[in-house]
Amino acid sequence: MNRFVFFGGKGGVGKTTVSCAYALKCARDGLKTLVVSTDPAHSTSDVFDQQFGDDPQAVAGYENLYAMELDPDEEVERHMMDIKRTMSDQVSPAIVNEIDRQIELAHRTPGAHEAALFDRFIDVMREASTPDGDDYDRVVFDTSPTGGTLRLLALPEFLGDWIDRLLEKREHSVDLHEKAAIGNRDPVARLDEDPIIGRLVERKELFEFAGETLRNDASFFLVLNPDELSIRETERAIAELAEYDLGVAGLVVNKIAPDPDESETGTAATYLRQRRDTERERIRRIDAEFDEPVVARIRQRVEEVKGDLLDEVAEELDVAVAPTADP
Ligand SMILES: Nc1ncnc2c1ncn2[C@@H]1O[C@H](COP(=O)(O)OP(=O)(O)OP(=O)(O)O)[C@@H](O)[C@H]1O
Ligand SMILES: [Mg+2]
């Protein structure tokens, strides 16, 4: 298995549950494992009955297991402040307010949460060491990048051309330089030392790293439930990832209804039998229509999956643990 493992899927299908179970499986096998959660509602904190924050923390009661929880709102805020700070050093005070307003608007667009989180994912992938400074053998993310975020992987190419053109123009004309280096009041400043260009180059390298890491050192799994909506969402996610040359290693079918005993004949048993039949049909479709292997079929439990139940679910995951040998 690759070092970075992502579990994506529609809302509520069980991404966090399955991520925690898989992380536990890895930790039980002796790998130093970090699970990264991104939803403030139900998350690793509920699964492990322990509050986690922005920095990785050891999970009490388990060895080799660490967790962190990213709050999308906080990430957007942090991202925005960071950009404002960079910009305000570069532009005249007269337009700072207008620029701030534009930046705030940009961060209120639907993709902003995802983009800010993805930035943090890249940070985590680059850092990837325990509070004691050891490298994690495995990092498990309870979500996977989708359309909006994946588009960022095309950024290096786009920025690369743009940066090259900016630098080229600089060589030809100081006049062009002044226009390109927004608000830089020193006309002799070298364009390639310009902080804004510097930042673009930094972004370019960051997403280059992300693209390479996701392609060479990451595995993607999709969690789904035996229902139409989640099957369709899975098809969409596979297609989206494929657009960026990212393959899906397997599917986890979660929340499968249990069978009632033969002797049971009441309304509830009848309902459950019908439900089982519908689900079986969906699972047959999943097996037939997807090329990706189904790596787990997890039964719906009566209670939330935590404690001993988490170990049970971990056992049901037929997902490799041993690290892929270095090429
Ligand atoms: N196999 C299962 N049996 C019983 N309950 C389950 C099972 N899998 C998940 N759950 C419960 O379903 C709820 C949603 O699961 P989970 O939080 O893992 O989904 P998610 O995909 O991470 O959701 P979100 O999209 O909101 O982040 C939780 O309360 C969880 O305990
Ligand atoms: Mg979740």
Side-chain angles (χ1 to χ4, degrees):
M1 185 55 54
N2 284 314
R3 186 157 180 235
F4 302 103
V5 179
F6 292 81
F7 288 95
K10 200 172 76 65
V13 290
K15 300 178 292 293
T16 301
T17 305
V18 172
S19 300
C20 290
Y22 178 64
L24 177 61
K25 192 178 170 79
C26 296
R28 292 256 191 251
D29 219 55
L31 302 186
K32 278 200 190 311
T33 305
L34 171 68
V35 56
V36 184
S37 170
T38 54
D39 50 312
H42 167 84
S43 50
T44 39
S45 293
D46 297 285
V47 176
F48 295 116
D49 274 328
Q50 184 183 337
Q51 209 55 50
F52 300 104
D54 200 48
D55 289 316
Q57 223 177 296
V59 181
Y62 299 93
E63 235 175 284
N64 296 321
L65 189 57
Y66 301 80
M68 70 191 285
E69 234 165 67
L70 304 175
D71 178 337
D73 286 330
E74 266 173 40
E75 292 308 324
V76 168
E77 192 64 21
R78 190 203 309 263
H79 202 249
M80 192 162 79
M81 294 313 288
D82 187 36
I83 293 181
K84 280 186 181 173
R85 211 176 309 115
T86 317
M87 292 302 284
S88 65
D89 293 343
Q90 307 311 316
V91 298
S92 72
I95 61 167
V96 157
N97 283 342
E98 181 54 22
I99 292 216
D100 277 1
R101 210 175 63 84
Q102 293 297 332
I103 293 174
E104 275 167 33
L105 274 178
H107 281 79
R108 255 181 262 136
T109 55
H113 270 81
E114 255 199 311
L117 274 180
F118 194 51
D119 260 34
R120 278 291 278 151
F121 280 13
I122 303 174
D123 274 352
V124 173
M125 291 194 288
R126 278 207 301 193
E127 177 67 21
S129 60
T130 69
D132 303 325
D134 296 324
D135 285 348
Y136 290 112
D137 304 303
R138 173 97 356 106
V139 183
V140 183
F141 294 88
D142 83 344
T143 181
S144 107
T146 53
T149 323
L150 289 168
R151 265 193 289 282
L152 292 170
L153 295 178
L155 209 60
E157 228 171 290
F158 168 73
L159 277 182
D161 286 352
W162 189 30
I163 294 167
D164 288 347
R165 275 205 305 279
L166 282 177
L167 291 173
E168 230 170 75
K169 283 182 181 167
R170 161 69 178 78
E171 277 161 20
H172 294 306
S173 148
V174 172
D175 183 44
L176 274 179
H177 160 215
E178 284 180 308
K179 283 186 190 140
I182 313 154
N184 189 332
R185 270 148 277 144
D186 177 6
V188 292
R190 285 176 49 82
L191 187 55
D192 50 5
E193 283 168 10
D194 183 289
I196 291 182
I197 300 249
R199 199 175 156 84
L200 287 174
V201 171
E202 200 184 283
R203 301 293 291 164
K204 178 181 166 238
E205 285 167 0
L206 201 71
F207 288 109
E208 249 158 19
F209 165 83
E212 270 163 35
T213 308
L214 292 181
R215 271 179 211 111
N216 303 326
D217 209 7
S219 301
F220 298 87
F221 291 87
L222 294 171
V223 183
L224 70 165
N225 299 150
D227 65 52
E228 280 300 329
L229 266 183
S230 112
I231 293 176
R232 250 180 282 144
E233 170 73 22
T234 307
E235 287 166 350
R236 217 176 46 78
I238 291 174
E240 244 173 29
L241 285 161
E243 263 183 64
Y244 296 87
D245 286 334
L246 301 171
V248 171
L251 308 178
V252 175
V253 187
N254 184 31
K255 298 194 185 180
I256 302 174
D259 274 326
D261 289 338
E262 286 299 324
S263 60
E264 290 178 79
T265 52
T267 329
T270 308
Y271 164 83
L272 206 50
R273 251 177 228 117
Q274 284 170 355
R275 163 124 212 128
R276 247 336 288 251
D277 288 346
T278 316
E279 289 189 0
R280 280 204 178 130
E281 174 48 32
R282 304 246 165 82
I283 294 170
R284 258 197 298 278
R285 260 189 57 204
I286 294 170
D287 280 328
E289 289 176 17
F290 289 98
D291 293 333
E292 294 71 15
V294 172
V295 292
R297 292 176 171 77
I298 303 168
R299 199 166 45 74
Q300 168 101 45
R301 278 18 189 225
V302 176
E303 289 171 49
E304 280 88 46
V305 180
K306 56 208 300 195
D308 290 345
L309 261 186
L310 195 64
D311 268 301
E312 252 185 60
V313 170
E315 290 287 312
E316 290 175 29
L317 290 174
D318 187 14
V319 181
V321 166
T324 311
D326 283 333

